[in-house]
Amino acid sequence: MNELLWFSPEAEAARRENRPLVALESTIITHGMPFPQNLEMAHKVEQIIRNHDVCPATIAIMDGRICIGLTDEQLKRLANTPDARKLSRADLAECLVTGQTGATTVAATMICARLAGIDVFATGGIGGVHRGGEQSFDISADLQELAKTRVTVVAAGAKAILDIPKTLEVLETLGVAVFAYGQDRFPAFWSRDSGLAAPLRADDPEIIAKAHMMRGQLGLAGGQLVGNPVPEDSEIPADVITPMIEAALSEAVAKQISAKAVTPFLLDRIFELSKGASLATNIALVENNAQLAAKIARHL
Ligand code: PSU
Ligand code: MN
């Protein structure tokens, strides 16, 4: 395993000094945002975590190894690799063996964070049950991973491109702890309110950290999902974003987009349809999630 896991100098130093780390995913960089905003976002989010005296560790597969933390050069290279693989549990091993460059989704980032002993992970939004999932069976492997791997994931909820009620039902079935942070309702990525009650509410990062450790003590597999609402001044009202989501979804059906391509296609179309407004919100909420993840990590 030591040969497979590569720690950036910064992450290595944090480990040696027993300082907390927060994992960050890389699919958001390669498949979630256009260049150069993706690189700017990645740098900014890492800096936010450092400002809390916590070490950021962006995770990706490069040069046949699992990189826990990326140097500036590696981050730049990844943000400029448009054909990087989008990796989940199913294809992580094959990518390592073939030596390709791979970006990790929520699921793959959780696996790698666990291997590296990192408990907290910040991202934008998680994958979930797609609309029409009862027909297509398109359910993100992120949900299964939350059931299996003990990492606390801070996200702004699930996007309304998904079926949020079904996503919450599946998470409940799988025994995943799902919190809303600071409010009763589960957030919906661009908007603060999905209209659905969150199963759990947390107002204090320390409780989230303690619940994470208690799951470990109880021997419960699986992690926690913390839905952190986007800051009010960056929110896109539901009535503005909904028609764009509907348009993107119809296009995806017409073009018969399937499997791994669905989420990147929808994100890209909504970015275009909103003339970039969706991206500004996306960046603001990832920054907000990085703050909360750093606070949770400090309590662990
Ligand atoms: N949702 C977002 N932004 C993202 C993703 C999801 O709002 O960038 C990415 C994450 O990496 C997530 C993945 O783990 O898409 C889910 O893909 P799929 O739906 O194919 O499982
Ligand atoms: Mn899918």
Side-chain angles (χ1 to χ4, degrees):
M1 186 48 66
N2 286 345
E3 283 175 10
L4 267 182
L5 282 184
W6 178 87
F7 288 85
S8 68
E10 185 183 14
E12 184 61 48
R15 262 165 36 107
R16 215 176 28 239
E17 294 156 17
N18 224 357
R19 280 190 293 121
L21 289 101
V22 164
L24 297 163
E25 66 154 305
S26 44
T27 296
I28 191 172
I29 301 172
T30 55
H31 293 71
M33 292 181 189
F35 183 85
Q37 289 96 333
N38 59 351
L39 183 59
E40 287 161 20
M41 179 278 304
H43 277 305
K44 180 110 185 274
V45 166
E46 288 194 348
Q47 196 50 50
I48 287 171
I49 292 172
R50 286 186 197 109
N51 292 346
H52 283 79
D53 247 324
V54 174
C55 177
T58 301
I59 293 181
I61 308 305
M62 298 179 90
D63 310 313
R65 284 185 302 190
I66 299 173
C67 298
I68 307 294
L70 300 178
T71 63
D72 276 357
E73 183 273 321
Q74 286 173 314
L75 199 55
K76 219 175 275 167
R77 182 147 57 94
L78 185 73
N80 278 299
T81 308
D83 60 343
R85 299 270 303 276
K86 175 188 166 191
L87 301 175
S88 192
R89 169 177 279 260
D91 36 23
L92 187 59
E94 184 269 349
C95 183
L96 280 163
V97 168
T98 53
Q100 297 170 74
T101 296
T104 51
T105 58
V106 168
T109 306
M110 289 178 77
I111 294 171
C112 299
R114 188 70 270 145
L115 289 172
I118 302 176
D119 291 297
V120 188
F121 159 28
T123 184
I126 60 155
V129 182
H130 278 264
R131 295 204 205 173
E134 65 276 22
Q135 291 290 328
S136 65
F137 276 37
D138 188 348
I139 303 174
S140 176
D142 291 352
L143 300 186
Q144 289 266 11
E145 207 55 53
L146 279 160
K148 286 183 182 139
T149 301
R150 196 151 53 234
V151 172
T152 289
V153 179
V154 182
K159 283 206 168 113
I161 58 172
L162 301 171
D163 187 324
I164 301 177
K166 287 197 185 73
T167 300
L168 288 174
E169 289 292 352
V170 170
L171 287 166
E172 186 192 10
T173 303
L174 294 173
V176 178
V178 178
F179 294 91
Y181 182 66
Q183 63 181 33
D184 294 325
R185 301 292 195 100
F186 190 67
F189 200 83
W190 292 296
S191 8
R192 292 169 60 84
D193 184 1
S194 64
L196 299 161
L200 302 166
R201 171 181 175 146
D203 294 285
D204 182 354
E206 187 175 1
I207 297 295
I208 299 169
K210 282 185 168 165
H212 177 98
M213 289 187 286
M214 183 58 80
R215 285 187 75 99
Q217 261 176 280
L218 294 172
L220 297 177
Q224 310 191 110
L225 174 62
V226 182
N228 188 26
V230 61
E232 257 162 71
D233 53 1
S234 301
E235 189 176 22
I236 304 183
D239 58 324
V240 175
I241 201 77
T242 303
M244 299 175 197
I245 293 171
E246 305 284 350
L249 285 166
S250 316
E251 273 184 55
V253 171
K255 292 190 166 149
Q256 298 187 313
I257 310 283
S258 67
K260 276 177 184 290
V262 175
T263 298
F265 175 85
L266 294 173
L267 298 184
D268 194 45
R269 280 305 287 143
I270 292 166
F271 168 69
E272 288 166 4
L273 291 167
S274 71
K275 302 194 173 64
S278 68
L279 180 59
T281 299
N282 201 341
I283 292 171
L285 62 85
V286 182
E287 291 173 6
N288 190 45
N289 296 342
Q291 309 246 20
L292 178 56
K295 287 181 197 164
I296 296 168
R298 288 183 63 90
H299 283 293
L300 280 165

